[in-house]
Amino acid sequence: MACATGSVYVSYAADGVPSYASQRLDPSYRLLIRGENPPQDRGTASRKLARVDQAAGKLQLTPLIDHYARLHQVAPELVAAVVGVESGYNARAVSPKGALGAMQLMPATAARYGVTDAGDAAQNIDAGVRHLRDLLNAHQGNVALALAAYNAGQGAVARHRGRIPPYPETMLY
């Protein structure tokens, strides 16, 4: 997954239900996760090259994102956001945990959706969008919980009784 920056604030309602925000909305919000500062050691040429690579990937993947999002009735903007965060529009991305492709499918998830080559952008995005659709259905359309399940796994959301797991990466996601 691409590195996320920004802080997360939390406020608890009287019944103990947390509300999260990227800024302090009122005095009840407390800093939960301090965001990271972007790395400063990359040179200007490296940053420009990374932006060019991401732009080329976005140009290549956007038609697939739009097609499969519409086919599986998921907002194309949501799918594009997942691809941007997960792989930075790199169809050949591989995470340290073994997630593959533009939508960073774990091998078991890829197999569940019939993917034979997770590096194939069309297969990867089709399966990733179907998985996201299934998560949206499982969480009654709650985008935040579906994304938490996409990032941390369905089991993590279940273990936290249908709430966003308190993992920094998942909360920033």
Side-chain angles (χ1 to χ4, degrees), residues 1 61 82-83 86-111 115-128 150:
M1 183 176 108
L61 298 178
V82 170
V83 171
E86 287 290 342
S87 69
Y89 288 91
N90 179 355
R92 296 281 178 190
V94 179
S95 81
K97 293 183 179 180
L100 303 166
M103 293 199 72
Q104 289 292 277
L105 300 176
M106 292 302 287
T109 303
V115 173
T116 58
D117 177 4
D120 176 82
Q123 286 187 53
N124 188 281
I125 292 171
D126 179 37
Y150 195 96

Side-chain angles (χ1 to χ4, degrees), residues 21-34:
S22 60
Q23 60 188 3
R24 248 182 125 184
L25 299 178
D26 64 48
S28 70
Y29 280 81
R30 300 287 180 242
L31 181 64
L32 180 66
I33 301 169
R34 183 174 308 283

Side-chain angles (χ1 to χ4, degrees), residues 128-165:
V129 173
R130 286 187 286 142
H131 180 51
L132 187 54
R133 164 52 47 213
D134 290 346
L135 293 171
L136 286 163
N137 290 342
H139 295 285
Q140 294 75 43
N142 184 319
V143 174
L145 286 178
L147 290 175
Y150 195 96
N151 178 259
Q154 292 170 277
V157 172
R159 283 190 302 278
H160 289 87
R161 295 174 292 182
R163 294 188 178 146
I164 297 171

